[in-house]
């Protein structure tokens, strides 16, 4: 009943509208023209375009909340996946709320930022805002991202107040695209749990294998920072790393786990050396002093990872 009343009010308002009356007159004139009339053909085509444009615009506005919700749900799914908390058929929102804590980190100091709401902070958007980002010096930009946000959103898995997992956002250029993902570490800020790229456009079957679960499994237990000076490896893509510097790298071929230094190596992607180099560079960049090294150092300094 209420909808009928509103419809009648709209109709009454249109009847009083001078432009609408002119439109009705023109509509009757066009409809009276023959089907072979050029004016009628153009008028109907324009009217159809306008109707379609209105419908598309309405759909975009009406569906936007659903799209935003699906995007947030997919992000939560990827975060849970990188720490092994994703269960098939499980309630993603409930598990995320119960197990994951989001924090904002000042990348320069490594301190938590308390006056920014993690739920409202979008790091990718912040990287495009000159007020919230910094230009990376060319000689330090090994990940080829040019700019970075001043603050990063990290995610923690805690148990009785103690950090069990640290989930760090990472991104960098591969062969064809910028790869966006997460790297999860143990509370020591040194041992890898998993890696997960949720947004990439590398070649399917080659660089696109960064999403292959079998390849991702190779990262578990690897070490990020050199525990002694690591020389460059003849076979691999690794560069020299001094003690305490990021040493984790992809190599050409298969890692020989019996050799010293293998704890810093992951099998490269077959036939995708440029993507492999890109993954190495983005991991090394974000684990360096330019990225999360100051934060991870402070996490390690807190006994037991309690915060």
């Amino acid at each position: 009943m209420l909808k009928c009343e509103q419809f009648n009010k709209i109709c009454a308002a249109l009847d009083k509208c001078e432009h609408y009356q002119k439109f009705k007159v023109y509509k009757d004139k066009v409809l009276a023209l023959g089907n072979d009339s050029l004016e009628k053909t153009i008028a109907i085509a324009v009217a159809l375009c306008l109707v379609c444009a209105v419908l598309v615009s309405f759909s975009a506005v009406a569906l936007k909340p659903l799209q935003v919700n699906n995007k947030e749900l997919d992000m939560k799914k990827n975060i849970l996946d990188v720490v092994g908390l994703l269960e098939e058929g499980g309630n993603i929102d409930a598990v995320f709320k119960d197990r994951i804590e989001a924090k904002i980190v000042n990348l320069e100091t490594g301190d938590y930022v308390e006056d920014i709401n993690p739920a409202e902070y979008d790091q990718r958007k912040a990287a495009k805002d000159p007020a919230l980002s910094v230009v990376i010096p060319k000689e330090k930009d090994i990940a080829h991202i040019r700019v970075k946000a001043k603050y990063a959103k990290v995610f923690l898995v805690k148990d009785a107040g103690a950090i069990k997992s640290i989930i760090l956002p990472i991104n960098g250029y591969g062969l064809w695209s910028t790869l966006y993902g997460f790297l999860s570490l143990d509370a020591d800020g040194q041992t890898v749990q998993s890696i997960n790229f949720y947004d990439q456009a590398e070649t399917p079957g080659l660089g696109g294998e960064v999403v292959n679960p079998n390849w991702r499994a190779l990262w578990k237990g690897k070490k990020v920072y050199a525990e002694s000076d690591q020389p460059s490896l003849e076979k691999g893509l690794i560069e020299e790393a001094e003690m305490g510097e990021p040493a984790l790298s992809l190599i050409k071929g298969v890692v020989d786990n019996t050799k010293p230094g293998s704890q810093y190596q992951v099998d490269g992607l077959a036939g995708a050396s440029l993507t492999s180099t890109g993954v190495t560079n983005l991991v090394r960049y974000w684990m360096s002093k330019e990225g999360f090294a100051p934060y991870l150092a402070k996490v390690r300094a807190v006994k037991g990872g309690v915060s």
Side-chain angles (χ1 to χ4, degrees):
M1 181 66 71
L2 181 60
K3 289 184 177 179
C4 290
E5 290 178 359
Q6 291 176 339
F7 179 75
N8 290 333
K9 288 181 180 179
I10 293 173
C11 291
L14 286 174
D15 287 337
K16 296 178 181 179
C17 178
E18 180 182 351
H19 296 293
Y20 179 68
Q21 295 304 321
K22 290 181 179 179
F23 167 76
K24 286 179 66 177
V25 171
Y26 181 70
K27 178 198 70 172
D28 294 338
K29 174 187 173 184
V30 168
L31 291 177
L33 296 173
N35 290 334
D36 57 348
S37 168
L38 178 61
E39 182 181 358
K40 183 175 183 179
T41 301
I42 294 175
I44 291 176
V46 171
L48 284 173
C49 289
L50 289 173
V51 170
C52 291
V54 170
L55 289 175
V56 170
S57 299
F58 176 78
S59 298
V61 172
L63 294 175
K64 185 165 185 175
L66 181 62
Q67 294 170 342
V68 171
N69 183 67
N70 287 340
K71 184 178 179 180
E72 291 178 353
L73 191 65
D74 184 66
M75 188 63 69
K76 291 177 181 178
K77 178 180 177 181
N78 281 284
I79 292 168
L80 293 176
D81 181 51
V82 82
V83 284
L85 293 176
L86 183 65
E87 297 181 0
E88 187 174 353
N91 188 322
I92 294 174
D93 280 324
V95 175
F96 190 90
K97 183 178 180 181
D98 183 55
R99 300 298 306 277
I100 305 295
E101 179 184 4
K103 303 282 282 185
I104 303 299
V105 172
N106 183 320
L107 289 174
E108 183 178 4
T109 65
D111 295 321
Y112 289 127
V113 180
E114 303 297 343
D115 58 353
I116 297 178
N117 185 352
E120 299 176 355
Y121 182 72
D122 188 325
Q123 188 174 335
R124 289 177 69 167
K125 286 185 178 179
K128 299 175 182 179
D129 184 342
L132 296 174
S133 62
V134 293
V135 176
I136 304 170
K138 189 173 182 179
E139 67 276 10
K140 295 182 178 180
D141 187 22
I142 60 174
H144 303 292
I145 54 177
R146 298 182 183 176
V147 295
K148 65 177 179 182
K150 295 178 181 179
Y151 309 112
K153 180 157 64 173
V154 305
F155 302 88
L156 307 175
V157 180
K158 290 185 175 182
D159 184 11
I163 295 175
K164 297 300 181 183
S165 302
I166 306 167
I167 307 164
L168 306 173
I170 54 176
N171 66 289
Y173 205 78
L175 172 59
W176 303 113
S177 65
T178 299
L179 297 88
Y180 292 89
F182 295 106
L183 180 69
S184 62
L185 306 176
D186 285 346
D188 60 6
Q190 162 74 330
T191 307
V192 176
Q193 294 180 349
S194 184
I195 195 168
N196 181 14
F197 289 104
Y198 62 86
D199 187 359
Q200 55 84 28
E202 297 300 286
T203 308
L206 296 173
E209 289 297 288
V210 291
V211 300
N212 188 317
N214 295 327
W215 181 77
R216 289 176 53 202
L218 299 176
W219 289 74
K220 186 174 179 59
K222 296 299 181 179
K223 304 296 182 181
V224 174
Y225 297 103
E227 293 150 309
S228 61
D229 289 352
Q230 295 295 314
S232 59
L233 302 176
E234 181 180 343
K235 183 182 178 183
L237 301 173
I238 192 173
E239 298 177 0
E240 293 184 3
E242 297 179 357
M243 186 171 66
E245 294 296 318
L248 185 58
S249 302
L250 275 62
I251 70 164
K252 294 177 181 177
V254 179
V255 174
D256 184 347
N257 290 314
T258 65
K259 291 187 176 181
S262 61
Q263 68 269 37
Y264 309 113
Q265 302 170 0
V266 178
D267 295 1
L269 298 161
S273 60
L274 291 179
T275 302
S276 296
T277 301
V279 173
T280 292
N281 287 337
L282 72 88
V283 168
R284 285 193 153 203
Y285 176 80
W286 286 107
M287 295 301 102
S288 73
K289 294 176 182 178
E290 290 291 305
F292 291 105
Y295 168 65
L296 294 174
K298 292 194 174 184
V299 170
R300 287 190 293 270
V302 179
K303 188 177 181 180
V306 177
S307 65

